[in-house]
């Protein structure tokens, strides 16, 4: 989509290979953004007011200049496909990728000779775990809940509700109300392993009854996802292939946030290609000092040095939400970052940061 929006790259011949057609709403992206974004035409709903809950601190969040936005997967797919269909220089091929390199792509039903083409790949396949690296999963199950009677405040969304059980690790629910009768309710965990499906269901049922006081409802849609949270390096280029998205290191290790980092990467790649440069000249979601911050928090969460709900409660209690958002976008100054660091248990974070720095030098 970024290539099509650029007058220099929009005429390039492009082959898009996907395993299958996207016909259903299988996922939802929620993210914060200041002003209109690249995919603004398909934003389902946006909120200017968010709420944070924990057992020790709860408060509405002032997120100016940001808005919190939602895009439904099916709307995204249809929007992109309509644009693609207007360009005869783009070919869509539905097949399963078996092996790939910068020279050939082996599909289930054919082989693609790449010739002089630039090859991008977003297929994420977990590598063998490396000693000394941290591995967590952000896993979540969401229900689109519909009620007969009004049950939701459409002007306010719940960013994080940590009042749910923390027995498995850092766990929270977020609630995105679309109408007074309809909302996406999603149960999310940062842990080392997945739960059984009935455990996600039980947690969602309990949350609806205990905190939203909803007993009668229908579930019109269900989504489930797993996002890797790891300090392990992901090579951006391998065997002549440029990796993008999560496979290219665009998932922020400490939080799992990915959507906006992918937007930054796609914009940078397009600008580089249009200028005749190599595709990668931008930064990943984990680079420089932000990589140290991410790995430090990941170490604390993985080793349960401080409960995740306590960390986020401290951050939102002692900092403006907009400052936290900017920090999580890797867009803050070092001075702003130091201020944020003073609001968490400093000695625990300092020890974790030193351990990460020592490990980075081979110690």
């Amino acid at each position: 989509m970024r290539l099509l929006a650029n007058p220099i790259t929009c005429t390039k011949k492009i082959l898009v290979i996907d395993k299958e057609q996207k016909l259903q709403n299988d996922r939802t992206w929620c993210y914060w953004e200041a002003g209109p974004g690249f995919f603004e035409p398909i934003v389902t709903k946006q909120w200017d007011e968010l709420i944070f809950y924990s057992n020790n601190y709860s408060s509405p969040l002032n997120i100016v200049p940001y808005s919190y936005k939602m895009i439904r997967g099916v709307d995204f797919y249809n929007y992109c496909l309509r644009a693609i269909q207007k360009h005869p220089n783009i070919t869509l091929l539905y097949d399963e990728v078996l092996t790939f390199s910068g020279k050939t792509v082996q599909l289930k039903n054919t082989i693609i000779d790449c010739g002089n083409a630039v090859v991008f790949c977003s297929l994420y396949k977990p590598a063998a775990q490396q000693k000394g690296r941290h591995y967590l999963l952000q896993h979540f199950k969401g229900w689109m809940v519909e009620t007969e009677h009004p049950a939701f405040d459409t002007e306010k969304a719940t960013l994080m509700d940590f009042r749910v059980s923390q027995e498995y690790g850092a766990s929270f629910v977020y609630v995105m109300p679309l109408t007074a009768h309809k909302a996406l309710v999603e149960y999310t965990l940062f842990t080392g392993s997945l739960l059984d499906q009935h455990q996600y269901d039980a947690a969602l049922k309990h949350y609806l009854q205990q905190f939203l006081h909803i007993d009668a409802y229908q579930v019109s849609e269900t989504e489930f996802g797993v996002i890797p949270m790891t300090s392990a390096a992901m090579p951006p280029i391998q065997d002549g292939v440029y990796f993008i998205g999560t496979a290219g290191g665009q998932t922020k290790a400490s939080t799992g946030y990915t959507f906006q980092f992918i937007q930054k990467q796609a914009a940078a790649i397009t600008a580089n290609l249009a200028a005749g440069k190599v595709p990668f000249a931008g930064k990943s979601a984990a680079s420089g000092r932000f990589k140290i911050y991410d790995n430090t928090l990941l170490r604390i969460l993985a080793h349960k040095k401080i409960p995740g709900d306590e960390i986020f409660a401290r951050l939102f209690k002692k900092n403006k939400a907009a400052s936290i958002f900017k920090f999580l976008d890797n867009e803050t100054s070092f001075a702003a970052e130091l201020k944020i660091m003073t609001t968490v248990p400093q000695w625990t974070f300092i020890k974790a940061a030193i351990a990460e720095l020592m490990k980075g030098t081979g110690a």
Side-chain angles (χ1 to χ4, degrees):
M1 291 297 287
R2 298 274 179 175
L3 291 170
L4 294 182
N6 186 291
I8 297 177
T9 58
C10 66
T11 58
K12 299 292 185 181
K13 291 182 65 177
I14 302 171
L15 171 64
V16 180
I17 304 172
D18 211 340
K19 187 176 181 179
E20 57 193 8
Q21 288 184 279
K22 302 288 190 178
L23 303 174
Q24 298 179 334
N25 189 59
D26 58 352
R27 68 193 65 205
T28 305
W29 291 288
C30 292
Y31 58 97
W32 55 81
E33 191 169 43
F38 186 76
F39 288 107
E40 199 70 20
I42 51 170
V43 170
T44 302
K45 177 77 175 175
Q46 61 183 12
W47 299 268
D48 296 324
E49 295 184 55
L50 297 177
I51 307 174
F52 175 88
Y53 293 102
S54 74
N55 289 316
N56 299 317
Y57 172 74
S58 298
S59 177
L61 303 177
N62 178 4
I63 64 173
V64 175
Y66 297 98
S67 292
Y68 200 74
K69 304 179 181 182
M70 172 196 282
I71 292 179
R72 287 162 48 83
V74 69
D75 295 333
F76 177 84
Y77 305 141
N78 290 336
Y79 180 70
C80 294
L81 289 171
R82 285 194 299 268
I84 288 171
Q85 288 167 359
K86 297 176 183 178
H87 292 264
N89 52 304
I90 300 180
T91 300
L92 289 175
L93 176 60
Y94 297 104
D95 204 340
E96 182 178 358
V97 175
L98 301 179
T99 62
F100 54 87
S101 70
K103 297 180 179 179
T104 60
V105 178
Q106 174 71 59
L107 304 178
K108 187 175 182 179
N109 297 302
T110 188
I111 298 177
I112 304 294
D113 183 349
C114 300
N116 295 321
V118 180
V119 180
F120 296 99
C121 180
S122 64
L123 293 174
Y124 171 73
K125 294 183 179 180
Q129 293 195 1
Q130 305 167 23
K131 184 179 180 181
R133 301 301 177 186
H134 310 300
Y135 297 87
L136 288 179
L137 299 172
Q138 178 182 147
H139 45 117
F140 47 88
K141 187 167 189 176
W143 286 352
M144 188 65 76
V145 175
E146 298 188 23
T147 62
E148 182 179 351
H149 302 290
F152 306 105
D153 182 349
T154 58
E155 299 304 314
K156 298 177 182 178
T158 300
L159 178 68
M160 289 176 160
D161 191 339
F162 280 100
R163 293 176 296 175
V164 296
S165 172
Q166 303 295 305
E167 63 180 307
Y168 304 114
S171 309
F172 60 91
V173 172
Y174 65 81
V175 182
M176 302 289 121
L178 301 179
T179 70
H181 300 266
K182 185 177 182 179
L184 174 65
V185 182
E186 196 135 316
Y187 175 50
T188 304
L189 305 94
F190 296 170
T191 64
S193 58
L194 304 182
L195 304 182
D196 293 330
Q197 286 298 316
H198 72 85
Q199 292 174 290
Y200 300 101
D201 294 339
L204 286 165
K205 289 177 183 177
H206 180 264
Y207 185 83
L208 287 166
Q209 294 172 345
Q210 180 73 22
F211 298 105
L212 299 184
H213 310 295
I214 298 174
D215 292 309
Y217 57 88
Q218 288 186 331
V219 178
S220 58
E221 294 179 1
T222 300
E223 63 181 41
F224 179 79
V226 182
I227 299 172
M229 300 168 63
T230 178
S231 60
M234 296 184 189
I237 307 170
Q238 197 169 19
D239 200 14
V241 175
Y242 293 88
F243 285 89
I244 57 177
T246 293
Q250 296 309 306
T251 291
K252 189 170 177 66
S254 59
T255 62
Y257 289 126
T258 308
F259 186 81
Q260 286 294 68
F261 285 105
I262 287 177
Q263 305 314 312
K264 293 177 183 180
Q265 186 190 44
I269 289 172
T270 299
N272 291 335
L273 291 175
K277 300 178 181 178
V278 295
F280 286 175
K283 297 179 180 179
S284 70
S287 58
R289 64 184 188 274
F290 290 101
K291 183 174 183 178
I292 298 173
Y293 303 154
D294 286 340
N295 291 352
T296 298
L297 180 54
L298 203 57
R299 169 181 282 269
I300 290 171
L301 291 173
H303 294 282
K304 298 183 179 179
K305 299 293 186 181
I306 307 173
D309 58 330
E310 180 182 338
I311 294 172
F312 284 98
R314 281 174 173 260
L315 287 172
F316 283 110
K317 182 178 181 180
K318 299 184 178 183
N319 301 277
K320 293 181 179 179
S323 299
I324 298 300
F325 286 176
K326 192 172 183 179
F327 175 61
L328 295 178
D329 281 339
N330 296 2
E331 294 178 350
T332 42
S333 66
F334 185 60
E337 292 147 24
L338 286 176
K339 182 178 182 298
I340 290 173
M341 290 175 203
T342 63
T343 63
V344 294
Q346 294 177 43
W347 183 233
T348 303
F349 273 79
I350 288 171
K351 288 193 295 184
I354 291 173
E356 287 301 315
L357 288 169
M358 292 293 288
K359 184 174 62 180
T361 58

